[in-house]
Amino acid sequence: PHSGKIAQEVERHVLSHLGEHLVSVDDQTLVEQLAAILRKEGLSVAVAESCTGGQIGQELTSVSGASHYFLEGVACYTNASKITRLGVKEETIVQYGAVSKETALEMAAGIRSMASASIGVSTTGIAGPGGGSKEKPVGTVFLGFSIGEHLFSRHLTLGCRTRDEIRRITTWTVLATLLWYLSGQQDSDLWE
């Protein structure tokens, strides 16, 4: 009995400090929670992935019944693919670069429109180990979200990590961002 009270106090302390970083206190994974919200709200998702190359789609479809909310995923790695497949303006890529907030937002809006989805999500970034510059080093990633009337982005600076780590962190950040947003955290200072 005494150890149960200590465990409850430790749990309360931990939960109070985690805030929006807490994903689950039960056995339900982040993806399962996200899937439950999408199904409950009748929302659909389409993803346009550059630096993650399909990992977000893989995670979203790892839950049974994903066909209720996941419409499609496109791995648009090249600039030409972003332009022809998603409708990203060539001028946007020329002016801001393929790895930019502006490109991520156009990718998200493009996949959402193309798939007639409730939600469009995109990733574009430099996973390395090469391809970085002083202005945009390896680990620079932009996420785009098109939800209802809202269009917003997140900029990640993931630093000197491995290619796999950058792709994995980006994937899970997208999923967590969707969960936070759909759970009513849209006023967070995470959004740009």
Side-chain angles (χ1 to χ4, degrees):
H2 183 63
S3 63
K5 287 183 180 183
I6 292 172
Q8 288 175 346
E9 186 59 36
V10 169
E11 181 179 350
R12 270 195 299 275
H13 178 75
V14 170
L15 294 177
S16 71
H17 284 82
L18 287 176
E20 69 181 18
H21 301 289
L22 178 67
V23 174
S24 179
V25 292
D26 55 23
D27 291 334
Q28 197 175 40
T29 68
L30 184 153
V31 177
E32 289 169 339
Q33 289 180 66
L34 181 56
I37 290 173
L38 291 168
R39 288 184 72 168
K40 178 183 174 196
E41 300 296 327
L43 300 171
S44 58
V45 179
V47 297
E49 303 184 59
S50 187
C51 65
T52 49
Q55 289 184 6
I56 297 166
Q58 181 178 353
E59 290 300 330
L60 285 170
T61 58
S62 68
V63 175
S64 179
S67 60
H68 291 283
Y69 58 84
F70 186 77
L71 298 184
E72 67 179 279
V74 177
C76 291
Y77 234 69
T78 66
N79 291 348
S81 178
K82 289 174 180 70
I83 293 165
T84 59
R85 184 88 168 116
L86 300 174
V88 174
K89 296 183 199 101
E90 186 173 357
E91 305 83 58
T92 300
I93 294 176
V94 170
Q95 183 173 355
Y96 301 104
V99 178
S100 66
K101 170 184 175 178
E102 293 79 8
T103 298
L105 291 173
E106 288 187 24
M107 289 172 66
I111 191 68
R112 179 176 174 219
S113 174
M114 184 180 76
S116 298
S118 308
I119 300 169
V121 176
S122 70
T123 63
T124 183
I126 305 166
S133 66
K134 185 175 181 179
E135 297 79 24
K136 294 180 185 176
V138 170
T140 301
V141 178
F142 291 90
L143 315 176
F145 300 88
S146 177
I147 306 174
E149 299 299 316
H150 304 281
L151 194 61
F152 59 92
S153 68
R154 288 191 70 184
H155 176 199
L156 308 178
T157 305
L158 301 176
C160 295
R161 291 182 165 88
T162 68
R163 181 177 184 82
D164 286 342
E165 289 171 331
I166 290 169
R167 290 163 48 104
R168 193 171 341 111
I169 291 167
T170 299
T171 296
W172 287 101
T173 302
V174 165
L175 297 170
T177 300
L178 276 177
L179 180 60
W180 290 331
Y181 186 91
L182 296 174
S183 298
Q185 301 293 325
Q186 60 266 35
D187 293 329
S188 169
D189 59 2
L190 296 172
W191 325 123
E192 293 183 4

